[in-house]
Amino acid sequence: MRYITFALAKGRLAKKTLSLLEQIGITCEEMKDEKTRKLIFVNEELKLKFFLSKASDVPTYVEYGAADIGVVGKDTILEEGRNLYEVLDLGFGKCKMCVCGPKEAKKYLNGSQLIRVASKYPNIAKEYFYNKKLQTVEIVKLNGSVELAPIVGLSEVIVDIVETGSTLRENGLEVLEEICPLSARMVVNQVSQRMEQERISKIVIALKKLLDEKKQG
């Protein structure tokens, strides 16, 4: 029997995913060792492998079949635009992708003038402004604190993830438009979904049942 491989986004997402998997009987003890330098972790009994990667790489590993299953935020799935199946909303890591800026920037969002939009997520920003709003904008990709962009005059607005909104408020910014809700999602390689349908479905169904029970409980 071949191994089924999981790619998990490093950090909180991986910890929460492993906790969920444990509740359906899937464990990987060696991953709990914080000091380990191992890259791949194995559960021989269940024929499962796990590895941690940078969130933005998870969809790539899954699309190319280096991982059968991945867990990553919806923001990364949308930004990377890979060919894979999104099979389950895990319900944690909830936040929103929004257009934000100073209150007075709202007037720029009516589509009549060219504005600059700064974002770590240029593809999501492009999709929203070009295809949903039909507004032509100049998109500026940033890697650091995007909240800075409208404050120093680099852009009129930003597209970013909003969890509580406290960073925005502290910097005199606010949510101007909501693009979409975000949370951790489980994705599956398209070939694996066909070849290992039974084993993968078993995991997905067990997780779905657990999540439904938590909602009701």
Side-chain angles (χ1 to χ4, degrees):
M1 188 162 64
R2 73 183 275 276
Y3 288 93
I4 283 182
T5 303
F6 285 78
L8 307 179
K10 281 178 187 168
R12 262 190 325 183
L13 240 57
K15 283 191 174 136
K16 290 206 165 182
T17 306
L18 289 167
S19 159
L20 272 183
L21 289 171
E22 276 198 352
Q23 291 170 63
I24 62 162
I26 293 175
T27 54
C28 191
E29 288 305 315
E30 51 181 11
M31 281 190 94
K32 291 180 182 171
D33 178 4
E34 306 252 328
K35 295 189 179 76
T36 184
R37 295 197 172 276
K38 283 182 83 168
L39 296 173
I40 292 187
F41 306 91
V42 183
N43 178 323
E44 280 297 347
E45 193 190 340
L46 297 173
K47 285 283 182 272
L48 298 173
K49 282 184 184 173
F50 300 83
F51 65 85
L52 300 172
S53 89
K54 198 174 169 186
S56 55
D57 292 336
V58 170
T60 310
Y61 282 118
V62 175
E63 183 186 30
Y64 285 97
D68 302 288
I69 297 171
V71 174
V72 73
K74 179 69 174 174
D75 51 305
T76 308
I77 296 167
L78 290 170
E79 184 60 27
E80 294 300 313
R82 297 283 176 184
N83 288 321
L84 27 84
Y85 293 128
E86 187 184 312
V87 293
L88 197 57
D89 181 346
L90 296 173
F92 56 81
K94 282 189 175 176
C95 44
K96 294 176 287 198
M97 187 67 74
C98 300
V99 180
C100 313
K103 199 177 199 166
E104 59 274 17
K106 185 103 176 136
K107 63 178 181 284
Y108 299 126
L109 301 175
N110 59 15
S112 59
Q113 61 199 107
L114 181 69
I115 59 166
R116 270 201 203 135
V117 179
S119 186
K120 290 178 198 169
Y121 304 94
N123 293 329
I124 292 174
K126 211 175 282 179
E127 164 69 23
Y128 181 67
F129 278 96
Y130 291 8
N131 299 340
K132 285 200 182 137
K133 283 177 70 71
L134 304 177
Q135 179 173 357
T136 306
V137 296
E138 185 186 342
I139 290 166
V140 182
K141 182 174 183 343
L142 289 178
N143 297 304
S145 304
V146 283
E147 295 86 3
L148 199 56
I151 298 167
V152 299
L154 174 67
S155 70
E156 280 75 23
V157 294
I158 61 173
V159 165
D160 202 19
I161 290 175
V162 177
E163 209 164 331
T164 61
S166 53
T167 311
L168 292 174
R169 286 191 292 277
E170 278 172 29
N171 291 289
L173 308 174
E174 60 182 61
V175 171
L176 303 172
E177 290 178 355
E178 199 175 307
I179 297 175
C180 63
L182 304 170
S183 56
R185 309 292 165 99
M186 182 170 270
V187 291
V188 176
N189 171 272
Q190 293 183 339
V191 176
S192 306
Q193 179 69 15
R194 290 196 300 275
M195 307 288 284
E196 293 289 347
Q197 191 186 2
E198 197 179 321
R199 290 170 75 201
I200 290 172
S201 294
K202 204 172 156 190
I203 295 167
V204 173
I205 289 163
L207 281 172
K208 192 174 185 319
K209 187 168 173 251
L210 176 69
L211 294 167
D212 288 346
E213 281 166 8
K214 281 180 186 287
K215 269 184 209 157
Q216 286 156 16

